[in-house]
């Protein structure tokens, strides 16, 4: 199509030239001193056009000759940049391929190339990235001195805050792998607020806090990550729960346990597993009344709990029955009516009746629970021993011996 257009234009020019210059009846006379030159108009026009073209070509050639050093310099700079990019890609491939020594050699060649061409300012962004790659390779080779040297060089060559933040985040990962929590937290503290709120930075802070034993800080980071959906469904809740349990376990007495419980969020205080753990820890510290106070909301909402959650709440309640009041009886009976076949709910009811000294009902429920194979051997053994205590209290030696024999046979 382009050829057709050019051919059409050529024919158009030929037609115009033929119509305009075809007669050739014009005359141009040139006088110079005592000389006169007569030229036809067509020849004069051809000479003028040719002269203009020759002058244009001469000027273009002169300009090209004068700009030749600049073009040579630009060509050398382009060659250097292409070589640097090639070496940078080569270093990345070697690093990802596990060839750390080769990656270091590629970076050293890149740095030598930058130093050998002093006529142009080096690309500091590429240099910072090269030093960071060399630091990563040195880290993989367990060369901490070289790693620190390259990392310092990367910070010096960094052009903006983004590159410096990237270098610091990379160093935080190295510190965590070295089990140096203090350095990791120090580097995280140097990050600007915007960078510190990124998911990657919060993940690193979570790991550093857990490594340093700062469970509450780790719990806060886990809450933020879960809020921003940084974990797969269910993983975030499980992590927050485990950190909450760890935070409660760190309390050394009942007062510290109460303070730790207050610092948990509402959703965590409604978690049945967390409630069960704080109740068990309260029993360990001698605050049995507090344990039942923690467990009460779970029993009031027992219909909303799963089988595993009901079992955890029931076992925690079983450990906190000492000094149980009659106000709990209606709550336990309601749970038994809602879940008549739940072995753990029935077990708690049986031991609660024994604690309240309702011997007739207690014996019936305890006998049923002791024979329920869905319960663990330890729970069934404990139930038989409770029946033995009741028989001793009632003065029935035979029943006591029979219950002790049944407890011994449980395995």
């Amino acid at each position: 199509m382009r050829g057709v257009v050019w051919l059409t234009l050529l024919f158009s020019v030929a037609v115009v030239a033929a119509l305009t210059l075809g007669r050739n009846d014009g005359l141009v006379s040139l006088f110079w001193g005592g000389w006169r030159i007569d030229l036809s108009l067509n020849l004069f026009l051809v000479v003028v056009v040719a002269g203009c073209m020759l002058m244009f070509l001469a000027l273009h050639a002169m300009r090209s000759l004068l700009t030749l050093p600049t073009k040579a310099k630009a060509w050398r700079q382009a060659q250097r940049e292409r070589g640097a990019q090639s070496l940078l890609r080569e270093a990345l491939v070697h690093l990802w391929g596990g060839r750390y020594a080769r990656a270091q050699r590629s970076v050293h060649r890149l740095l030598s190339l930058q130093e050998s061409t002093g006529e142009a300012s080096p690309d500091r962004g590429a240099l910072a990235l090269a030093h960071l790659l060399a630091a990563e390779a040195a880290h993989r080779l367990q060369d901490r001195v070289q790693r620190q040297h390259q990392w310092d060089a990367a910070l010096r060559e960094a052009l903006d805050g983004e590159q410096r933040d990237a270098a610091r985040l990379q160093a935080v990962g190295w510190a965590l792998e070295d089990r140096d929590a203090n350095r990791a937290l120090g580097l995280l503290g140097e990050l600007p607020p915007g960078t510190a709120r990124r998911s990657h930075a919060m993940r690193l802070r979570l790991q550093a806090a857990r490594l340093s034993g700062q469970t509450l800080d780790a719990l806060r980071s886990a809450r933020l990550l879960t809020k921003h959906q940084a974990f797969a469904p269910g993983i975030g809740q499980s992590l927050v729960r485990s950190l909450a349990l760890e935070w409660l376990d760190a309390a050394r007495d009942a007062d510290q346990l109460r303070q730790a419980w207050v610092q948990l969020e509402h959703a965590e205080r409604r978690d049945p597993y967390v409630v069960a753990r704080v109740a068990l820890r309260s029993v360990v510290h001698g605050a049995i009344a507090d344990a039942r106070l923690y467990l009460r909301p779970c029993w009031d909402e027992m219909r909303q709990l799963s089988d595993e959650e009901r079992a955890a709440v029931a076992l925690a309640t079983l450990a906190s029955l000492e000094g149980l009041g009659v106000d709990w009886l209606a709550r336990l009976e309601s749970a038994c009516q809602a879940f008549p076949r739940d072995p753990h709910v029935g077990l708690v009811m049986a031991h609660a009746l024994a604690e309240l000294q309702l011997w007739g009902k207690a014996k019936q429920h305890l006998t049923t629970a002791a024979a329920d194979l869905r319960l663990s051997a330890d729970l069934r053994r404990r139930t038989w021993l409770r029946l033995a205590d009741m028989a001793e209290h009632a003065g029935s030696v035979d029943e006591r011996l029979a219950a002790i024999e049944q407890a011994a046979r449980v395995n």
Side-chain angles (χ1 to χ4, degrees):
M1 186 64 184
R2 184 178 298 178
V4 174
V5 173
W6 279 106
L7 186 61
T8 303
L9 290 176
L10 180 61
F11 275 109
S12 301
V13 171
V15 170
V16 171
L19 293 175
T20 305
L21 306 176
R23 297 177 60 183
N24 196 18
D25 54 357
L27 181 66
V28 177
S29 297
L30 302 176
F31 297 92
W32 180 262
W35 296 87
R36 188 185 76 176
I37 301 175
D38 294 327
L39 300 174
S40 66
L41 179 61
N42 292 354
L43 180 59
F44 176 75
L45 293 176
V46 170
V47 171
V48 169
V49 172
C52 291
M53 292 182 62
L54 288 175
M55 185 175 295
F56 173 78
L57 292 175
L59 291 175
H60 183 72
M62 184 64 68
R63 188 181 64 177
S64 299
L65 184 62
L66 293 176
T67 58
L68 186 60
T70 304
K71 291 181 178 180
K73 183 178 180 180
W75 180 83
R76 289 194 301 269
Q77 184 177 358
Q79 288 293 104
R80 177 180 61 84
E81 290 179 355
R82 282 194 291 268
Q85 293 295 331
S86 176
L87 289 173
L88 197 60
R89 289 192 297 268
E90 181 181 318
L92 279 171
V93 170
H94 288 323
L95 183 64
W96 292 337
R99 296 177 174 180
Y100 306 121
R102 293 189 181 185
Q104 283 186 324
R105 287 196 293 269
S106 297
V107 172
H108 292 325
R109 288 166 55 195
L110 171 60
L111 297 177
S112 300
L113 178 63
Q114 294 283 355
E115 294 174 357
S116 64
T117 53
E119 72 277 2
S121 59
D123 186 355
R124 295 183 58 187
L127 286 179
L129 180 58
H131 284 298
L132 201 58
L133 290 176
E136 178 66 25
H139 172 71
R140 298 303 175 184
L141 294 173
Q142 300 297 318
D143 188 353
R144 298 184 180 180
V145 176
Q146 183 66 16
R147 181 189 72 186
Q148 185 64 32
H149 173 72
Q150 295 291 345
W151 186 77
D152 293 337
L155 280 185
R156 288 195 303 269
E157 298 293 343
L159 291 175
D160 51 23
E162 286 293 333
Q163 291 186 349
R164 286 188 288 271
D165 294 344
R168 290 190 180 95
L169 287 173
Q170 191 74 7
V172 171
W174 298 337
L176 291 175
E177 293 184 11
D178 294 340
R179 311 294 293 178
D180 189 353
N182 293 330
R183 175 169 172 76
L185 291 173
L187 290 169
L188 288 170
E190 297 176 4
L191 295 175
T195 305
R197 287 194 296 268
R198 296 175 185 171
S199 296
H200 180 56
M202 287 192 293
R203 285 177 183 271
L204 294 175
R205 184 175 295 278
L206 171 61
Q207 298 178 26
R210 297 194 71 177
L211 183 61
S212 62
Q214 301 178 14
T215 308
L216 186 58
D217 290 340
L219 181 57
R220 291 168 180 164
S221 299
R223 290 168 182 164
L224 290 175
L225 288 169
T226 304
K227 180 180 179 181
H228 291 88
Q229 299 180 354
F231 300 112
I235 300 298
Q237 182 182 2
S238 178
L239 178 60
V240 171
R241 177 186 296 154
S242 64
L243 289 172
L245 298 179
E246 186 177 343
W247 172 243
L248 293 174
D249 291 340
R252 298 182 179 180
D253 53 39
D255 292 334
Q256 288 188 2
L257 186 62
R258 296 187 191 99
Q259 295 176 3
W261 176 256
V262 171
Q263 290 178 320
L264 296 180
E265 291 188 347
H266 178 70
E268 296 155 11
R269 293 197 297 267
R270 296 292 297 272
D271 190 326
Y273 295 104
V274 178
V275 173
R277 179 62 63 87
V278 71
L280 291 174
R281 296 302 299 172
S282 297
V283 172
V284 171
H285 295 309
I288 300 179
D290 288 350
R292 290 194 294 270
L293 185 63
Y294 296 138
L295 290 166
R296 183 181 299 171
C298 291
W299 282 97
D300 294 337
E301 301 175 357
M302 189 63 74
R303 296 177 182 273
Q304 302 177 9
L305 305 184
S306 64
D307 295 342
E308 293 78 9
E309 292 172 343
R310 284 198 304 272
V313 172
L315 293 178
T317 307
L318 186 64
S320 58
L321 289 178
E322 183 179 351
L324 185 71
V326 294
D327 57 312
W328 273 81
L329 189 58
R331 187 175 293 109
L332 295 177
E333 288 179 347
S334 176
C336 287
Q337 292 176 0
F339 304 98
R341 297 184 179 181
D342 191 308
H344 295 92
V345 174
L347 179 67
V348 173
M349 184 64 183
H351 283 268
L353 291 172
E355 182 67 28
L356 294 173
Q357 298 183 1
L358 300 176
W359 308 119
K361 291 184 177 181
K363 182 177 181 181
Q364 178 183 357
H365 285 79
L366 286 172
T367 303
T368 302
D372 196 336
L373 298 179
R374 292 176 296 175
L375 296 173
S376 65
D378 182 67
L379 293 176
R380 287 186 286 120
R381 187 180 301 110
R382 180 178 174 181
T383 304
W384 282 116
L385 292 177
R386 189 58 186 263
L387 284 170
D389 293 340
M390 289 175 55
E392 182 180 6
H393 185 271
S396 179
V397 179
D398 293 338
E399 291 184 5
R400 177 175 179 274
L401 292 177
I404 293 176
E405 182 179 358
Q406 290 293 335
R409 290 180 178 180
V410 173
N411 51 31

